[in-house]
């Protein structure tokens, strides 16, 4: 991002914002580096850095040595100037091992300070208590207090409607209670944002995965299809997520597949949700306790039966994905979630082949580049971005 600045007294705050922005984006810099980036004069650059130091936003972290010319101070953003936190709420009622809540804290530079996972029974624990306890635990591990947090981002397996302060399309007990997020904000006394977990997985994909490029460029846009216990879709339009009028964009699991029959109208969740994947795998001779485990078993086998199972699963995935591609025509489709990760390259290749057969558009398919908890990491990225933008905008006014 280009961050140019003027040198008049009237532009002092803008100059400070520009300098801090470069320190955050590029890491430690000398005065000379900042002068080149902002095009400020030497005296103005020195004055800007002095004011950032006095405000506790920047600090000297070392000195250059061994090069031509005199040694120079190296400046960096003060990591302790602000903290961002993320909480990921999971639908774990069908799992005996997956923790129900994960939380993480990072400092202003993006360095992870602590991470925790809590095994709780969502049927017996109030959601506000669960999130507050998770934040308290991760802050304790990070050596900070809850009051030092500047922003909290919560990832939920549902969609949040701020107008009614209600989380919709969520199967976690207690989380559909109207006013819940307002209660949470009053409890922690912090800015708390809530977003769909698949949307936040897409944020992680853009920052850390296949939608980000080492040279600093990024994908023009992409659609992320989450294949796990549940099904979800995130639509990234050049870095902006499409959420819909009621924050329900991407709830692709509810998309009807075919006409109603004797047992009702099937939807995409019925076709490719983890339970359906497990049943399909069993029909092909691969028996496991979960859908992702069955896919992993087939991939490891590498037999003709395994290829037939993956091809059948890919055909099902292509049914829904073809509709997405026909409507959005995205530059890239990213396959994410537990089923996608278990399937790896064999499933990705099978889906790409099935999609090419299903319609005329040829859309590149990639497996996710985020192998860790994508929803939690995306929530942390979103919280950190909000903290930084708040600091930078605050300097300008």
């Amino acid at each position: 991002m280009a961050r140019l600045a003027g040198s008049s007294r009237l532009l002092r705050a803008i100059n400070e914002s520009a300098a801090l922005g470069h320190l955050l984006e590029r890491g430690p810099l000398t005065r000379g580096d900042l002068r080149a980036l902002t095009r400020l004069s030497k005296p103005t650059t020195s004055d800007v850095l002095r004011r950032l130091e006095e405000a506790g936003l920047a600090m000297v972290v070392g000195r250059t040595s061994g090069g031509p010319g005199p040694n120079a101070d190296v400046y960096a953003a003060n990591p302790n100037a602000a903290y961002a936190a993320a909480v990921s709420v999971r639908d774990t009622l069908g799992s005996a091992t997956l923790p129900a809540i994960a939380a993480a804290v990072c400092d202003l530079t993006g360095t992870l300070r602590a991470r925790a996972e809590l095994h709780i029974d969502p049927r017996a624990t109030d959601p506000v208590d669960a999130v507050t306890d998770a934040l308290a635990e991760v802050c304790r591990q990070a050596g900070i207090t809850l009051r030092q947090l500047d922003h909290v981002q919560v990832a939920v397996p549902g969609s949040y409607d701020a107008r009614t302060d209600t989380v919709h399309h969520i199967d976690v007990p207690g989380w559909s209670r109207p006013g819940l997020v307002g209660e949470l904000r009053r409890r922690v006394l912090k800015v708390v944002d809530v977003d769909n977990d698949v949307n936040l997985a897409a944020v992680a994909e853009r920052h850390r995965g296949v939608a980000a490029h080492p040279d600093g460029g990024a994908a023009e846009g992409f659609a992320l299809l989450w294949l796990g216990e549940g099904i979800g879709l995130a639509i990234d339009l050049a870095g902006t997520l499409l959420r819909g009028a009621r924050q329900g964009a991407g709830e692709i699991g509810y998309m009807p597949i075919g006409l109603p029959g004797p047992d009702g109208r099937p939807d995409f969740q019925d076709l490719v949700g983890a339970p359906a994947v497990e049943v399909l795998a069993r029909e092909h001779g691969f028996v496991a306790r979960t859908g992702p485990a069955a896919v992993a078993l087939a991939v490891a086998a590498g037999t003709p039966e395994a290829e037939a199972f993956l091809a059948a699963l890919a055909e099902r995935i292509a049914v829904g994905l073809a509709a997405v591609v026909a409507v959005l025509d995205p530059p890239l489709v990213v396959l994410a979630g537990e089923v996608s990760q278990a399937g790896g390259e064999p499933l990705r290749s099978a889906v790409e082949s099935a999609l090419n057969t299903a319609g005329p558009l040829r859309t590149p398919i990639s497996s996710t580049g985020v192998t860790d908890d994508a929803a939690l990491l995306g929530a942390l990225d979103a919280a950190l971005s909000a903290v930084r933008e708040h600091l930078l905008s605050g300097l300008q006014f």
Side-chain angles (χ1 to χ4, degrees):
M1 179 187 299
R3 294 184 181 275
L4 304 181
S7 58
S8 73
R9 291 178 59 87
L10 295 177
L11 294 179
R12 182 179 69 178
I14 297 177
N15 293 341
E16 293 172 7
S17 177
L20 180 59
H22 284 303
L23 291 175
L24 290 171
E25 291 175 3
R26 298 171 180 266
L29 298 168
T30 65
R31 280 189 180 90
D33 294 330
L34 280 171
R35 256 195 337 269
L37 291 166
T38 61
R39 301 181 187 177
L40 294 171
S41 67
K42 287 184 180 181
T44 302
T45 301
S46 297
D47 194 39
V48 165
L49 286 170
R50 177 185 58 79
R51 288 196 299 269
L52 288 176
E53 283 190 275
E54 291 174 352
L57 297 176
M59 57 193 297
V60 176
V61 295
R63 288 181 64 82
T64 60
S65 61
N71 295 344
D73 288 336
V74 178
Y75 293 83
N78 180 3
N80 298 316
Y83 296 93
V87 176
S88 178
V89 180
R90 300 161 175 164
D91 181 3
T92 62
L93 292 183
S95 171
T97 59
L98 185 67
I101 282 189
V105 167
C106 72
D107 60 34
L108 182 60
T109 67
T111 300
L112 182 68
R113 291 295 188 91
R115 182 170 168 177
E117 296 196 341
L118 281 70
H119 290 270
I120 64 170
D121 183 353
R123 292 163 294 196
T125 307
D126 184 82
V128 175
D129 292 335
V131 173
T132 305
D133 290 348
L135 290 172
E137 172 59 22
V138 79
C139 285
R140 183 191 66 79
Q141 292 186 22
I144 64 174
T145 67
L146 196 61
R147 287 182 176 274
Q148 288 177 272
L149 295 179
D150 293 273
H151 196 100
V152 178
Q153 176 70 59
V154 181
V156 296
S159 56
Y160 175 60
D161 186 348
R163 295 174 301 179
T164 61
D165 192 15
T166 305
V167 180
H168 300 287
H169 315 304
I170 189 168
D171 294 325
V172 183
W175 274 89
S176 59
R177 183 172 77 224
L180 175 65
V181 178
E183 294 176 35
L184 180 58
R185 288 170 179 151
R186 289 189 291 273
R187 175 75 69 86
V188 301
L189 299 177
K190 299 296 174 186
V191 177
V192 179
D193 285 336
V194 178
D195 202 353
N196 175 262
D197 52 1
V198 178
N199 279 343
L200 291 168
V203 172
E205 201 69 53
R206 176 162 285 282
H207 282 82
R208 307 163 183 258
V210 297
H213 298 299
D215 61 1
E220 177 185 351
F222 62 95
L224 184 142
L225 178 63
W226 185 273
L227 299 168
E229 188 68 28
I231 307 300
L233 180 75
I235 305 159
D236 178 295
L237 305 173
T240 299
L241 290 170
L242 178 64
R243 291 185 169 86
R246 288 164 293 279
Q247 308 298 307
E251 294 290 348
I252 195 173
Y254 296 104
M255 183 173 68
I257 303 296
L259 298 174
D263 299 324
R265 186 193 298 270
D267 57 27
F268 197 40
Q269 172 72 28
D270 297 327
L271 201 61
V272 294
V277 173
E278 181 188 345
V279 172
L280 181 64
R282 191 182 307 121
E283 293 173 356
H284 285 79
F286 299 97
V287 180
R289 295 184 61 184
T290 67
V295 172
L297 189 64
V299 170
T303 60
E305 292 79 10
E307 292 180 4
F309 161 57
L310 293 177
L313 176 57
E315 288 286 349
R316 292 187 176 195
I317 295 170
V319 169
L321 201 51
V324 172
V325 169
V327 173
L328 298 175
D329 189 17
L332 173 70
V333 168
V334 179
L335 300 180
E338 300 87 355
V339 169
S340 298
Q341 291 191 21
E345 173 57 25
L347 181 59
R348 185 213 66 79
S349 178
V351 170
E352 188 169 66
S353 177
L355 184 61
N356 288 341
T357 302
L361 297 177
R362 297 295 180 262
T363 303
I365 307 288
S366 291
S367 296
T368 178
V370 182
T371 56
D372 200 348
D373 187 335
L376 180 65
L377 295 180
L380 198 60
D381 289 338
L384 179 60
S385 294
V387 167
R388 289 180 171 182
E389 286 303 316
H390 177 73
L391 279 177
L392 294 174
S393 62
L395 288 172
Q396 296 180 29
F397 297 101

